[in-house]
């Protein structure tokens, strides 16, 4: 019933779908297994998609350059400032001070919640993978002190980090999406915070 209501894909549509899946697969494998920088993986995959979509090499480069330029024009300065704040927090130990302060405020009895809230706040200026590395020692310490499973703290930390990383600007993903949709950044921040909570 559902399948009959879906439009049939043309051979060209099937080729483009296969190319898209191949591009996503390339990005995942190249960044995780081959340790290629994500920016380079995205550029290569975008270039391949342009060629697969029927553009010649010159048109593909022009479209790619225009798209990257527009995105950087919308969000480049905010991402650069966020990265600087993140590096300062990481190198100065400010992220750990913030984490320890939150654990004191929320209380060791609710240390799993404190770990999640810490992750959510740290992930705003710091990329979530860096935040996980920075805060993992705290998670291990709290697991030892409270006698709870380290897996519980790792999941709580990851959940907090990813909730704001995926939903709240100034992290690059939601910021780029807001820029493409011409959405008001303040509204996106407010709604993203509400959804992530």
């Amino acid at each position: 019933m559902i399948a009959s209501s879906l439009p049939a894909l043309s051979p060209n549509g099937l080729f483009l779908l296969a190319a898209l899946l191949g591009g996503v697969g390339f990005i995942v494998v190249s960044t995780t297994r081959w340790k290629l920088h994500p920016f380079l993986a995205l550029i290569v995959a975008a270039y391949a998609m342009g060629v697969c979509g029927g553009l010649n090499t010159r048109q593909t480069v022009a479209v790619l350059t225009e798209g990257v330029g527009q995105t950087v024009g919308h969000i480049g300065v905010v991402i650069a400032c966020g990265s600087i704040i993140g590096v300062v927090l990481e190198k100065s130990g400010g992220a750990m001070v913030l984490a320890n302060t939150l654990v004191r405020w929320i209380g060791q009895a609710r240390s799993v919640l404190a770990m999640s809230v810490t992750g959510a706040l740290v992930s705003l200026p710091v990329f979530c993978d860096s935040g996980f590395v920075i805060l993992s020692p705290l998670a291990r310490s709290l697991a030892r002190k409270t006698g709870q499973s380290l897996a519980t703290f790792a999941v709580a930390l990851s959940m907090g980090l990813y909730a704001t990383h995926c939903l709240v600007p100034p992290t690059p993903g939601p910021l780029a999406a807001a820029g493409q949709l011409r959405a008001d950044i303040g509204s996106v921040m407010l709604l993203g915070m509400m959804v992530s909570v």
Side-chain angles (χ1 to χ4, degrees), residues 8 22 58 65 69 96 124 166 175:
R58 184 171 287 171
T65 304
M96 283 300 285
L124 289 171
C166 294
L175 198 57

Side-chain angles (χ1 to χ4, degrees), residues 145-159:
K145 284 180 187 174
T146 61
Q148 296 186 57
S149 165
L150 177 59
T152 303
F153 284 97
V155 169
L157 175 59
S158 301
M159 186 179 71

